[in-house]
């Protein structure tokens, strides 16, 4: 987590750095800071809280300078505070550093430095790192880049760093291991970002630094990229960025989350565009075609992901088993990586991640690859680490997702996974052409149906007003909509801070039913699908305990509607595709409740969008 921005060139660095930080706030917003090179000195502004607070502080001072580095923090070592905010300056006052990641051996390095007279003013591992580089530079009497290289070779952990020396501010050194770092190449200027959004309006030429690489940047000179361990020069590939500025701005919505909820018809469409070909009765996914044999002969599919992406894997588990008849296991990346899982050569691993940077998912991928499994990635961010680390994959094409709570990425992931389940069912000869075609045709009209669900916005807003003060909420669903109950509960807790639980509806009587009283909103995902009759009984059980039922039902519902306190309708669709519709009212519900409770839905407390630490 944490966001890094850097600039070296002939413009005023400060506005570039601050705007860049604002775009990276999805990576953390506990504190922020900027260091500007001014007449041989380092001018530092740091402040706890959002970037705006630091910006106001800085604007009251001198913000000149055409080299600068900046940081927005998600706290790991040390609480959010002005002192712990980056950038950190070395004891000599010469070096200034921003860092994203965790230095695991920071305690040992700190003790070494303390024994050599270094003092510390923060609780961060970053302050240790900048002083360690300083220590090496003093010992070796060498240039900054050599000191960085020697120091990093002794560091254990993950990092993306950006550092300069006040005596040579025209040269910035960056390095990466495990945390992302992108370099933007302008004319007589260079940009640095944790992703490319900070410099989109200035250049479309970017280099994604690989793990174990470092680079020395000057405004006009060639980029010098080298391997940290061997100092060997690297020929990096320049990528043309496809993203545009409009796609990362709010476009008239109060929050990115709402914009992204509304983008879902388009995002789902973009995800299947060119792949889902109902007229020809086929699905074309190049990543899948390339590894068709591995999928056809797979003994088992292991899906690994975290958070919302894990929920899309759970939806897929139902679809893959139903259509392709392949056994599926769904694993949290964080659990999978630390046990001793049985991975066989004939297993196929599918890793799902919006950001493509989630540390636990990435570690699970590495482990699976080492065990000889083929790993297929489903990512939203082009060029992300997971997209590059996997053997093959499919992008979701949802466009940049900025709101911390994932919405359109989820429905796009479910869309990709649905297409994969259908295609695998076909290549494994598991279901009839007519069933396959019916699903293809229906998937192609889902964006229109999502638009229809979005028309329930006012109704959901009214319902939200009634339950905004709840302390708890229970979400129930069955079958392919059980993961939607989990997802609805996650959305509510992460942005409104209301405690919420998702359960398979039938499990309610094994415990959670004890929670139900007249103050408990119970959100039941009850489309007219497979287990409908059972859900009708579950709704009655809740009502018998005076719970308040908010039900998501199919248009024309006749039974749940009789006992529920509120119903939100979705259009009729095939059971397998209901998650793409039922999740929408749950996203809206959590959005409105959070807004009504005065929460910042795009930046919920303690969270960050991209979780690049384990
Ligand atoms: C919840 C949310 C998180 C992410 C999780 C995985 O709304 O956004 O739970 O889903 O951190 O992130 P990715 O998909 O980027 O790997």
């Amino acid at each position: 987590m944490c966001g890094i921005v850097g600039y070296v060139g002939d413009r005023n660095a400060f506005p570039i750095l601050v705007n860049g930080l604002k775009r990276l706030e999805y990576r953390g917003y506990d504190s922020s800071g900027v260091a500007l090179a001014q007449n041989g000195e380092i001018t530092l502004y740091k402040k706890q809280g959002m970037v705006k607070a630091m910006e106001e502080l800085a604007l009251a001072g001198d913000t000149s300078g055409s080299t600068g580095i900046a940081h927005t923090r998600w706290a790991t070592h040390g609480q959010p505070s002005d002192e712990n905010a980056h950038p950190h300056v070395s004891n000599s006052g010469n070096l200034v550093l921003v860092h994203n990641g965790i230095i695991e051996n920071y305690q040992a390095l700190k003790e070494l430095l303390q024994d050599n007279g270094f003092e510390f003013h923060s609780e961060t591992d970053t302050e240790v790192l900048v002083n360690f580089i300083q220590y090496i530079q003093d010992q070796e009497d060498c240039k900054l880049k050599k000191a960085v290289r020697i120091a990093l070779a002794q560091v254990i952990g993950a990092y993306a760093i950006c550092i300069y020396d006040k005596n040579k501010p025209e040269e910035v050194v960056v390095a990466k291991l495990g945390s992302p770092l992108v370099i933007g190449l302008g004319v007589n200027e260079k940009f640095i970002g944790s992703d490319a959004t900070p410099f989109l309006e200035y250049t479309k030429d970017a280099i994604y630094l690989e793990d174990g690489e470092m680079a020395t940047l000057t405004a006009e000179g060639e980029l010098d990229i080298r391997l940290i361990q061997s100092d060997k020069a690297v020929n990096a590939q320049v990528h043309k960025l496809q993203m545009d500025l409009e796609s990362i701005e709010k476009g008239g919505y109060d929050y990115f989350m709402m914009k992204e909820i509304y983008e879902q018809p388009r995002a789902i469409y973009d995800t299947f565009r060119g792949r889902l070909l109902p007229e020809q009765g086929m699905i074309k996914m190049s990543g899948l075609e390339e590894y068709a044999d591995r999928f056809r002969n797979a003994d088992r599919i292991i899906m690994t992901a975290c958070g919302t992406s894990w929920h899309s894997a759970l939806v897929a588990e139902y679809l893959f088993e139903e259509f392709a008849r392949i056994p599926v296991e769904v694993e949290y990346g964080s659990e999978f990586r630390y046990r001793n899982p049985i991975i066989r050569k004939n297993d196929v691993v599918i890793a799902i991640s919006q950001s493509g940077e989630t540390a636990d998912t990435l570690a699970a991928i590495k482990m699976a690859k080492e065990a000889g499994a083929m790993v297929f990635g489903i990512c939203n961010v082009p060029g992300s680490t997971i997209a590059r680390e996997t053997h093959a994959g499919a992008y979701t094409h949802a466009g940049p997702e900025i709101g911390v709570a994932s919405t359109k990425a989820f429905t796009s992931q479910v869309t990709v996974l649905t297409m994969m389940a259908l295609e695998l069912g076909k290549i494994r000869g598991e279901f009839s052409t007519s069933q396959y075609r019916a699903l293809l045709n229906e998937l192609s009209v889902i964006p229109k149906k999502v638009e229809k669900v979005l028309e329930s916005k006012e109704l959901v807003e009214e319902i939200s007003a009634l339950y905004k003060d709840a302390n708890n909420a229970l979400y129930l669903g069955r079958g392919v909509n059980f993961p939607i109950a989990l997802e609805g509960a996650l959305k509510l807790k992460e942005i409104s801070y209301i405690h919420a639980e998702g359960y398979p509806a039938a499990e309610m009587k094994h415990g959670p039913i004890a929670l139900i009283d007249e103050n408990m909103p119970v959100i039941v995902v009850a489309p007219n699908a497979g287990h409908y009759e059972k859900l009708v009984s579950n709704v009655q059980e809740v009502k018998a305990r005076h719970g308040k039922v908010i039900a998501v039902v199919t248009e024309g519902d006749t039974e749940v509607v009789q006992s529920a306190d509120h119903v939100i309708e979705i259009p009729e669709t095939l059971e397998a595709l209901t998650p793409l519709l039922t999740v929408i009212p749950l996203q809206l519900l959590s959005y409105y409740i959070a807004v009504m409770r005065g929460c910042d839905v795009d930046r919920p407390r303690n969270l960050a969008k991209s979780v690049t630490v384990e």
Side-chain angles (χ1 to χ4, degrees):
M1 345 260 268
C2 301
I4 288 178
V5 191
Y7 178 78
V8 50
D10 47 18
R11 303 181 206 233
N12 184 5
F14 183 74
I16 297 168
L17 297 172
V18 163
N19 286 337
L21 286 185
K22 287 181 181 166
R23 290 186 193 150
L24 293 181
E25 267 188 326
Y26 73 86
R27 303 181 64 84
Y29 32 79
D30 290 332
S31 63
S32 68
V34 61
L36 298 164
Q38 291 177 343
N39 308 320
E41 291 304 326
I42 296 166
T43 301
L44 211 55
Y45 298 105
K46 309 206 286 189
K47 190 89 193 129
Q48 183 181 343
M50 304 263 176
V51 173
K52 195 146 191 25
M54 183 276 289
E55 183 184 19
E56 278 164 16
L57 172 81
L59 287 175
D62 182 355
T63 56
S64 62
S66 57
T67 293
I69 59 177
H71 187 269
T72 181
R73 177 168 187 251
W74 186 81
T76 54
H77 287 76
Q79 61 183 9
S81 67
D82 293 355
E83 294 72 38
N84 288 335
H86 301 206
H88 287 281
V89 179
S90 63
N91 278 190
S92 67
N94 288 341
L95 303 184
V96 60
L97 170 87
V98 289
H99 162 226
N100 166 26
I102 293 181
I103 308 299
E104 287 171 15
N105 58 336
Y106 86 104
Q107 196 56 46
L109 297 176
K110 190 172 185 174
E111 280 160 22
L112 169 92
L113 293 170
Q114 278 167 332
D115 291 346
N116 284 279
F118 281 79
E119 286 174 5
F120 294 92
H121 310 283
S122 77
E123 302 153 282
T124 64
D125 51 349
T126 306
E127 195 187 7
V128 173
L129 182 58
V130 70
N131 279 303
F132 186 53
I133 295 170
Q134 177 73 75
Y135 170 73
I136 301 280
Q137 194 175 26
D138 296 345
Q139 297 264 307
E140 300 278 328
D141 190 19
C142 62
K143 288 190 174 155
L144 176 61
K145 63 178 177 184
K146 183 169 177 194
V148 168
R149 189 164 56 73
I150 296 173
L152 290 181
Q154 296 177 55
V155 157
I156 301 169
Y159 52 77
I161 63 160
C162 185
I163 183 169
Y164 72 85
D165 183 331
K166 75 171 186 185
N167 300 311
K168 205 178 177 196
E170 64 281 4
E171 188 175 282
V172 174
V173 178
V174 297
K176 164 189 155 53
L177 184 73
S179 301
L181 203 104
V182 193
I183 299 167
L185 309 172
V187 178
N188 296 339
E189 57 187 350
K190 306 262 183 330
F191 305 83
I192 300 145
S194 292
D195 67 29
T197 58
F199 51 80
L200 268 187
E201 59 265 60
Y202 303 106
T203 179
K204 294 276 191 253
D205 292 333
I207 290 177
Y208 292 86
L209 218 58
E210 297 291 343
D211 277 348
E213 290 179 355
M214 60 181 285
T216 310
L217 287 73
T218 53
E220 290 157 23
E222 286 285 297
L223 255 191
D224 179 32
I225 305 183
R226 290 176 179 271
L227 296 179
I228 297 168
Q229 289 296 341
S230 64
D231 200 26
K232 198 165 156 260
V234 172
N235 253 338
Q237 194 194 341
V238 179
H239 293 261
K240 272 272 172 239
L241 298 171
Q242 303 295 339
M243 232 185 285
D244 57 22
L245 207 53
E246 200 181 84
S247 62
I248 57 162
E249 285 176 347
K250 273 195 213 143
Y253 287 91
D254 290 341
Y255 289 97
F256 280 111
M257 182 180 175
M258 193 50 142
K259 175 180 177 241
E260 288 156 6
I261 289 174
Y262 266 80
E263 281 173 350
Q264 287 178 108
R266 158 65 46 189
I268 294 171
Y269 176 75
D270 283 346
T271 298
F272 68 56
R273 188 159 47 107
R275 292 167 164 167
L276 184 78
L277 307 168
E279 272 119 53
Q280 295 159 46
M282 63 190 284
I283 288 170
K284 265 192 92 54
M285 294 177 74
S286 53
L288 200 61
E289 277 166 24
E290 199 185 333
Y291 283 87
D293 283 343
R294 289 295 290 262
F295 275 106
R296 187 182 296 114
N297 301 322
D299 292 332
R300 183 176 61 148
I301 289 183
I302 301 169
M303 299 194 186
T304 185
C306 303
T308 287
S309 299
W310 185 77
H311 295 156
S312 71
L314 286 181
V315 173
E317 180 180 18
Y318 286 86
L319 304 183
F320 275 62
E321 295 202 345
E322 173 74 20
F323 298 137
R325 303 303 295 152
I326 308 179
V328 174
E329 282 171 32
V330 177
E331 300 269 3
Y332 283 117
S334 54
E335 288 298 313
F336 189 62
R337 65 183 289 191
Y338 282 121
R339 57 189 180 79
N340 191 8
I342 299 162
I343 309 171
R344 300 187 207 94
K345 290 218 169 12
N346 267 357
D347 289 337
V348 169
V349 173
I350 301 181
I352 306 158
S353 172
Q354 187 286 129
S355 61
E357 301 294 346
T358 300
D360 286 321
T361 309
L362 196 51
I365 291 170
K366 287 187 175 150
M367 200 164 101
K369 275 169 67 181
E370 275 161 25
M374 194 282 275
V375 186
F376 190 92
I378 297 178
C379 296
N380 193 40
V381 178
S384 55
T385 310
I386 292 180
R388 286 179 282 131
E389 281 287 332
T390 41
H391 295 108
Y395 282 121
T396 42
H397 299 309
E401 190 180 65
I402 313 281
V404 164
S406 190
T407 52
K408 63 175 181 171
F410 174 75
T411 42
S412 294
Q413 287 166 349
V414 172
T415 303
V416 164
L417 288 160
T418 304
M419 287 191 289
M420 287 179 73
L422 297 180
E423 199 47 20
L424 293 186
K426 186 178 162 197
I427 60 180
R428 286 169 69 99
E430 289 292 348
F431 64 168
S432 69
T433 314
S434 61
Q435 197 188 359
Y436 176 78
R437 278 194 172 249
L439 280 152
L440 250 58
N441 288 336
E442 184 60 17
L443 185 54
S444 72
V445 296
I446 283 291
K448 281 265 162 271
K449 296 193 176 182
V450 173
E451 275 171 18
K452 190 88 203 320
V453 185
L454 287 167
E455 287 171 13
S456 61
K457 169 180 175 286
E458 270 88 28
L459 171 64
V460 181
E461 194 173 359
E462 282 164 25
I463 298 171
S464 304
L466 300 175
Y467 296 100
K468 69 176 178 15
D469 296 321
N471 292 322
N472 298 291
L474 188 59
Y475 286 71
L476 303 175
R478 295 186 83 122
V480 76
N481 282 293
F482 156 55
I484 300 305
L486 294 178
E487 174 60 5
L490 177 62
K491 287 286 92 87
L492 189 71
K493 57 191 151 192
E494 70 180 325
I495 61 170
S496 75
Y497 320 139
I498 295 175
H499 169 241
E501 305 234 21
Y503 264 92
E507 275 294 303
M508 182 178 62
K509 56 186 170 298
H510 298 286
I513 199 163
L515 294 168
I516 296 176
D517 62 15
E518 64 284 3
N519 298 318
M520 177 66 114
V522 182
I523 297 91
V524 186
V525 190
N528 186 4
H531 312 280
Y532 178 75
E533 289 306 328
K534 308 262 181 226
L535 268 160
V536 173
S537 310
N538 297 138
V539 169
Q540 280 154 4
E541 286 157 15
V542 174
K543 284 314 297 172
R545 274 106 193 144
H546 310 293
K548 298 281 184 294
V549 172
I550 303 163
V552 178
V553 300
T554 307
E555 270 167 7
D557 180 281
T558 52
E559 295 196 45
V560 171
V561 88
Q562 290 180 31
S563 8
D565 296 87
H566 314 276
V567 288
I568 306 161
E569 292 182 337
I570 62 157
E572 179 87 46
T573 189
L574 296 172
E575 179 177 3
L577 305 180
T578 52
L580 290 166
L581 304 183
T582 53
V583 74
I584 311 288
L586 306 193
Q587 296 169 344
L588 289 170
L589 189 72
S590 57
Y591 172 84
Y592 282 119
I593 290 180
V595 170
M596 287 171 194
R597 288 165 71 96
C599 303
D600 182 346
V601 298
D602 282 342
R603 300 182 196 88
R605 69 184 180 206
N606 306 336
L607 286 173
K609 181 130 192 91
S610 184
V611 187
T612 54
V613 294
E614 61 171 287

